[in-house]
Amino acid sequence: MFISVTRLHLRGKRMLPLFFLHTFQSNQQLKKSEGLIHSSVRNENLLTYWTLTVWENKEFMKKYRNNGNHLKAMKISRNIADELEKINWENENEKIPNWKECMEQLHQHYGR
């Protein structure tokens, strides 16, 4: 199982409409994606959002990430976010991590 966690902090409130538009479009693509096991979104505050996706393998995640609406969203994220962090890992025990584990993994990766 392949885990992908992202954290995005928007530059300001004026970026919210564009962020929500691209999030909606990416989620529509995600629902149809082959190999998806689990997905979840969490907001830390008004401007900070986390995503967790769990895939059968890395190739399925890359197919989603590198195509369609998600690819468009990744390109626009450089303009609407001032922080964008991600971490990926293989999970051999077939257990979907909880949010606490995901946040700890990402913060540890970025030295916080």
Side-chain angles (χ1 to χ4, degrees):
M1 173 159 49
F2 190 79
I3 314 296
S4 180
V5 175
T6 63
R7 179 184 173 273
L8 177 136
H9 181 269
L10 297 171
R11 292 183 187 273
K13 291 178 187 176
R14 69 188 186 290
M15 301 299 170
L16 284 167
L18 195 55
F19 170 73
F20 287 129
L21 171 66
H22 284 280
T23 298
F24 174 78
Q25 292 172 339
S26 294
N27 279 333
Q28 294 301 105
Q29 177 187 346
L30 184 64
K31 290 177 186 178
K32 301 173 187 173
S33 294
E34 184 181 7
L36 179 69
I37 296 171
H38 174 80
S39 69
S40 182
V41 177
R42 180 179 181 142
N43 68 310
E44 185 175 319
N45 56 50
L46 182 62
L47 299 178
T48 307
Y49 296 86
W50 292 75
T51 65
L52 162 63
T53 53
V54 180
W55 302 87
E56 290 178 23
N57 59 49
K58 186 176 185 176
E59 289 69 34
F60 284 127
M61 183 279 295
K62 283 183 169 183
K63 186 176 179 182
Y64 166 73
R65 181 192 70 189
N66 297 336
N67 290 288
N69 290 321
H70 187 267
L71 181 60
K72 291 176 191 174
M74 285 192 333
K75 289 178 181 178
I76 198 75
S77 69
R78 296 180 187 117
N79 297 322
I80 66 172
D82 55 10
E83 295 175 25
L84 184 55
E85 302 170 327
K86 67 174 180 61
I87 187 167
N88 301 309
W89 72 91
E90 295 281 346
N91 195 353
E92 300 298 326
N93 68 11
E94 301 298 315
K95 179 182 168 264
I96 296 171
N98 63 40
W99 274 111
K100 183 179 180 200
E101 293 170 296
C102 293
M103 292 173 158
E104 287 173 356
Q105 285 273 1
L106 187 127
H107 288 314
Q108 182 180 6
H109 179 75
Y110 285 92
R112 291 193 295 256

